[in-house]
Amino acid sequence: MKKILVLMCALSILACKEEPKDYVTISGKILNPHESKTLKVYKDKDFEKVITVNEDGTFSDTLKVAEGDYTLRHGDELGSIYLKNGFVTSFETDYTDFDKTLVYKGDGSDINNYVIQSYLLADNYFTDDLFANPNSERLEKAVSAYKEGFQKLESNYKGLDSLHKANGVKTMEGTITSLKKYLSGKIALRDALPEGSPSPTFENYINHAGGTTSLSDLKGKYVYVDIWATWCGPCKREIPSLKKVEEQFHGQNIEFVSISVDDERRSGTKEKAFEAWKKMVKDKDLGGIQLFSDNAWQSDFVKNYKVNGIPRFILIDPNGNIVSPDAPRPSNPQLVELLEEKLKS
């Protein structure tokens, strides 16, 4: 009888082991979670599951999925996760630095960690310093180092499948193409408008405070120029940072000049564009010297500085010579470093 009972128990355990799970078990913890207290897992319009995040940031749930890559959303942050029914998987992260602290464990972790690390890898080689001071030699070195770094990254994840490896290579190649195009443009701009050469000028631009202003009126001071428009989202996002920089350097030998390139293409008429500019300057209490360009994108100053996208920032020295035709944005800490260096010299 004992042998029969033992055999029956063994068969029962074996049967349980052989039965595949038709769902994913997902759990983890989010430090400093968003007030929404939810984690959404979705894939286009095909699938969506909202998981409750507890007060301490922990979460756990099960979901039935079709094998593939899914998007994670918590608050304003996004991530990705590869899921397959039968997986028991988890991740931890800190909402305040979501991407850089995201770590997966369990089934599919090699794939998921590879995907997030391959996304972050470019920042190690295409640094803020390269963007601020690009040249062809440094760019090529960065590209070579990035490729080598990518090969090493692949070797770190033995569970990586061929599909995600191919997608990673495709992403790497796309990143290189985009960054080379962007940085090559910056290099060409610096070559065409080198530091120390006479700056293009503007004359008699309408000043929001009254009258008109020319670049020559500001000679003897550094001039930090912001070329923007009222409809430009990235331009408006720089406003709070620009106000902080203006306050930090208030009373020093520098003028902050914002030049609007608003025109009828967005507002319907030049008159409406002008009124939209006046209203925003007033409503947002914009500081510095607020000017309206004489011919928007076709203004000589704008064309001579080869401006084809905004916001664009320019730094000119007290003698009217170029310091940088593509200076750091107000939100970039390198701007403060640059201004401190120049104003002390």
Side-chain angles (χ1 to χ4, degrees):
M1 180 65 71
K2 277 187 176 181
K3 288 182 179 179
I4 294 174
L5 289 173
V6 169
L7 179 61
M8 289 178 65
C9 289
L11 289 172
S12 175
I13 293 170
L14 184 61
C16 290
K17 285 184 176 179
E18 289 177 348
E19 184 180 347
K21 293 179 181 178
D22 63 346
Y23 58 88
V24 173
T25 300
I26 184 171
S27 62
K29 185 172 184 177
I30 303 173
L31 299 176
N32 303 303
H34 184 264
E35 60 186 10
S36 66
K37 296 296 188 292
T38 60
L39 171 67
K40 185 161 74 171
V41 182
Y42 64 96
K43 185 175 185 180
D44 301 323
K45 296 180 180 179
D46 301 328
F47 178 89
E48 180 177 311
K49 178 70 177 285
V50 178
I51 300 171
T52 299
V53 176
N54 301 317
E55 288 296 324
D56 64 354
T58 59
F59 60 89
S60 181
D61 210 333
T62 59
L63 49 158
K64 292 186 178 183
V65 299
E67 181 180 356
D69 295 300
Y70 290 76
T71 300
L72 302 170
R73 185 181 188 103
H74 178 65
D76 297 323
E77 295 291 346
L78 298 174
S80 67
I81 188 168
Y82 171 68
L83 297 174
K84 180 180 178 181
N85 286 335
F87 272 15
V88 177
T89 187
S90 67
F91 71 85
E92 293 189 5
T93 189
D94 187 327
Y95 181 66
T96 60
D97 198 4
F98 196 85
D99 294 335
K100 292 183 178 179
T101 57
L102 187 56
V103 178
Y104 297 91
K105 295 180 180 179
D107 295 321
S109 59
D110 272 6
I111 291 174
N112 290 321
N113 285 318
Y114 167 78
V115 170
I116 185 64
Q117 291 303 317
S118 63
Y119 167 74
L120 296 171
L121 189 65
D123 289 343
N124 296 337
Y125 304 98
F126 299 97
T127 61
D128 288 342
D129 185 55
L130 178 61
F131 278 84
N133 301 291
N135 63 56
S136 298
E137 182 180 355
R138 294 182 66 207
L139 174 57
E140 289 305 319
K141 285 183 178 180
V143 168
S144 295
Y146 176 47
K147 288 180 178 179
E148 290 179 11
F150 213 93
Q151 291 176 347
K152 291 179 181 178
L153 182 68
E154 285 183 347
S155 66
N156 289 339
Y157 298 104
K158 305 303 181 184
L160 186 61
D161 62 1
S162 58
L163 175 62
H164 288 90
K165 183 182 288 188
N167 287 342
V169 171
K170 186 177 179 180
T171 298
M172 176 196 68
E173 292 173 345
T175 298
I176 290 172
T177 298
S178 298
L179 289 175
K180 285 185 77 170
K181 182 178 180 181
Y182 176 73
L183 289 171
S184 294
K186 290 172 73 74
I187 291 167
L189 181 65
R190 286 174 177 267
D191 289 344
L193 297 161
E195 182 176 1
S197 61
S199 170
T201 62
F202 59 83
E203 294 183 3
N204 299 322
Y205 280 9
I206 296 172
N207 190 320
H208 190 273
T212 62
T213 298
S214 302
L215 182 60
S216 58
D217 297 331
L218 308 174
K219 195 167 184 179
K221 292 187 175 183
Y222 281 95
V223 180
Y224 182 69
V225 180
D226 168 16
I227 300 177
W228 74 295
T230 59
W231 48 262
C232 169
C235 301
K236 290 184 281 189
R237 286 195 289 273
E238 290 294 328
I239 289 175
S241 297
L242 180 57
K243 286 185 174 183
K244 289 180 181 178
V245 175
E246 288 175 350
E247 182 179 355
Q248 182 173 347
F249 291 94
H250 179 73
Q252 298 191 44
N253 192 41
I254 185 169
E255 294 285 0
F256 293 89
V257 177
S258 295
I259 298 175
S260 165
V261 290
D262 281 279
D263 61 13
E264 67 273 12
R265 286 180 293 177
R266 295 276 180 165
S267 301
T269 66
K270 288 184 177 180
E271 289 75 18
K272 287 183 178 179
F274 181 71
E275 291 303 319
W277 166 72
K278 287 203 303 182
K279 184 175 186 301
M280 184 170 287
V281 172
K282 181 180 179 181
D283 289 350
K284 291 191 174 291
D285 191 28
L286 302 185
I289 298 173
Q290 296 291 329
L291 305 179
F292 195 81
S293 61
D294 60 351
N295 197 20
W297 293 91
Q298 299 306 310
S299 299
D300 287 343
F301 182 76
V302 174
K303 290 197 298 182
N304 289 337
Y305 262 110
K306 305 183 186 302
V307 177
N308 52 25
I310 53 176
R312 172 76 168 277
F313 299 93
I314 297 162
L315 184 61
I316 303 167
D317 74 13
N319 296 314
N321 296 323
I322 297 170
V323 175
S324 175
D326 189 16
R329 295 185 176 195
S331 57
N332 186 338
Q334 289 188 334
L335 175 61
V336 170
E337 294 174 11
L338 176 62
L339 296 183
E340 286 179 340
E341 175 192 342
K342 295 300 179 182
L343 289 168
K344 285 179 181 178
S345 60

